Each structure stands twice: as C-alpha cells, then as structure tokens.
Amino acid sequence: MPGYRGLALKALLDAGAEIGDLIRIIKDDVIFEGILIPRSEYSDDRHIVIKNRSGYNIGVEVTPSTRIERIGAEMKPAFIPPPPPKQRPGLPRVSILSTGGTIASRVDYRTGAVRPVISASDLYSIVPELADIAVIDAEILFSVFSEDLTPKHWSAMAEAVARHITRGVDGVIIAHGTDTMGYSAAALSFALQNLPVPVVLVGAQRSEDRPSSDAPLNLIGAVLAASRAPFAEVTVAMHETPSDDSIILHRGTKVRKCHTSRRDAFKTVNAKPLARVIGDRIIMLTNEYRPRDTGRRLVLRANFDERATLIKFYPGMNPKIIDWYVSEGYRGIVLEGTGLGHVRRECFPAIKRAIESGVIVGMTSQCIWGRINMNVYSNGRDLLAMGVIPLGDMLAETALVKMMWCLAQSTDPEEVKRLLLTNLAGEISERTVEPIEAPRIFSPSKEAD
Ligand code: ASP
C-alpha cells in the first residue's frame, strides 16, 4: 500500500482494499467512487487518493466517520508504453542508448518525484515521429540520474558508442540526465577520436509524462542531427529558447548547464554552437567542424584516471585541502580560481608542495566566460613560476574531465602537460568569441532562410 499510513491505511485495510481496487468512500453523505492509487511516501497519513471515472485524481480526507467499501478489482496503475512505430527501411540508421535522467523518467508514486524508468525503446514509441526520420535501434545502458554517474560510466558509454558505430550506424544518441550531461559530453569528446559520424547527447528538463515536457522536441532534434548532420562530433542537443521553436547543437567540450529548470538551460561557452535545428532543417552556425565521413576509423581511448580533482577557490579557502588530495595519491588538480586565474597567497605553499611531489596543477576561471591570463597580476605570475598550467578558456568541468583523460593516456608528466595544452576536441578556442549570445525567439518561417 505505497504511501498509506496511519488512519488512511487502517481504513483501507479494514475494508480489505488494495491498490488498483475500485472503492467507494462514503463521507458526510457524499459518495466518491474510483480506483485506489498509490501516494508518495512523504505525504500525510489522512488522505486517500482515487482516480475517478473521468480520469481525475481526487484526495478524500479520512475522518473517524468515513466509511470505505471495496467494490472490486480494477487495473493496477502501471506504465505500459505504446507499441513501437513501424520502421521504414531505407532511412538512415540511428542508435539510441539510454542512461537515465529526466528524459527517461516518469513520476514515481513512491516519492512523488520523477524516477528513471523508461528505456530507449520506450522513448522511441512515445515519440513516434522519430520513425519518419530514421530506423532506430535502442539499447539501455543504465537507468540512473546523472549525478550518480562516474568516470567508469563515461568509459562504458564510449565503448557502447564504439560498438554501435562499428555496426555501421549513421549516428548515435545518448539519452542522459541533464545535470552532468556536460561532463559526459566532454568525456566522450576525448574518448571517441576520429569520429566518422555524429554522437548526440540529449536530455530533458521536464519528464515526458508532463504536458510541458521538452523531451519530444529534443529527441526529434537529436535524431535529425544523428542521422543527417554534416558533422561528426560529440554534441548536446537541447532547446534553444523556452518555446518549442528550435534545438541547438552544442559542441561537447564547450557546453554547460546554466539554469536549474529552464528548457533552454544549456549554453555554448566561449565558442559558437555547432548548429540549429528548425523543423526538419539543420542550419550550420560555424564552418569549423569535422565533417561526417563513414570511411574514417574511430579511435577509442576510453580510460579516465579518477585521481584528479576540481577545487573551487573561495575567499579564505583552507590550503590544507590541497595537501589532503596529495596525501590521498591524486595525480592532477584543476583549480577553479578567481577572475584571470588566481588563488590567495596562503595557498601557494600547498600548491608548491603538490607540484614538487609530481601532481599536475592546472588553472581555470570561475567566471565561466572568457579566458584566463596569469600574466596580468603578480599572484598569477607567481603561480605560473611555480608550474601551474594555465588552461586557456576551457570550462572548469571540461578541464577536469580532460585532466582525468590525459592522466590515463600517459605516466610521463611532460606528455600529460603537452596533451592538456593541446586543443584535442575544440575545448580550447584559439580566438575569444564575443559576446554571449542572448537567447532569441525564432520565427521558424523567417529563420528557415
Ligand atoms: N537530476 C537529473 C539528472 O541529471 C536531472 C535531469 O535529468 O534533468 O539525471
């Protein structure tokens, strides 16, 4: 009897009622009839919730005089996905790999919140329009929220993508939680080198059982890109604006979730996004991309060394935290410093000790937009002289992922440093891109040309 406690549970047990039964509640001469449905386990202990014949759910407060009768058994509430749409042979072939997150979630009666329970093939049947764009093969990799993913999951995702690409698909989609989608996108950008076809990560800010869900349009944009985009890169496909107007394809190393709840939460930082999808058109927004070429051979480098960390500096930060990471055997530290790339002088001795013991220390900025420049102020120059590596305009999260990846490629510190400073997957822009593009509302008819 999920979610029922106290008075409400006792009244239901006395009547012999179970979830899914048709029951009658008689209260103050009013009769309510409907199917008993579960409640969240965090709700109160006085209400019974039924789904009445019109489909509405109503909650009835139980008082000592409330009577309950069980009328009979009805259908237990459960999610039954519609049958998958008919495949149309001859269309491009796309694989959807699901990992969980809101895009693969429905409301869970246990907690009243959403839970990742939908598989890649359910997604396909829920958005039947996808069958007009591509022939889709679906695989469940995991069913977790993205805050529960680790670098081991990144490796598993990269290996799965490689497996599907080897089978000859025209593109691969990864349905993913939005919270750490930027990290996974960066990880795949380094792990999947020399890509022949696009790899598109897609998420949703609202689960697909809510009327305001952004999942269907995001998925349609992702499938269009995976099957037809001219580029072969790791990208993230999400809403461009709060409306269902267009989808933006962000490069995997330059993308960040910048809002907790808006549908247009994802922004490309310090670069131009790759492309926009409006209707069934893909409009390239830059000429700088690796073109799709199915003749190219994918190189898989799926290992990450988890002995790397990201430390966000704040005024008064205790430098001992740096010593702690060194004593725990960490091999790399990415600092998210202030402004152009600084931390307080109090931290300098700990940073020096870390570098002297062989730890690679890189600097990024908590400003998010712009690039670091450690030559402007004496604190920056002192850090450079100690051997701190300036990481250009890389996002701090991307820098951490890259640090983990570089440490797994080589045990030679000089080689790790060389890799860190080399632009491998668009993570370092040579030129600063100004300004931050404000979200615009597009009129599809005007924008199409
Ligand atoms: N916490 C969720 C996740 O990242 C949020 C989402 O999917 O949007 O998995």
Side-chain angles (χ1 to χ4, degrees), residues 100-103 144-147 176-180 204-205 257:
T102 300
I103 191 160
V144 291
F145 283 126
S146 69
E147 57 269 31
H176 197 290
T178 59
D179 286 355
T180 69
Q205 291 281 72
K257 183 174 180 178

Side-chain angles (χ1 to χ4, degrees), residues 31 69 127 142 234 399:
I31 298 176
E69 291 169 7
V127 189
F142 338 108
V234 177

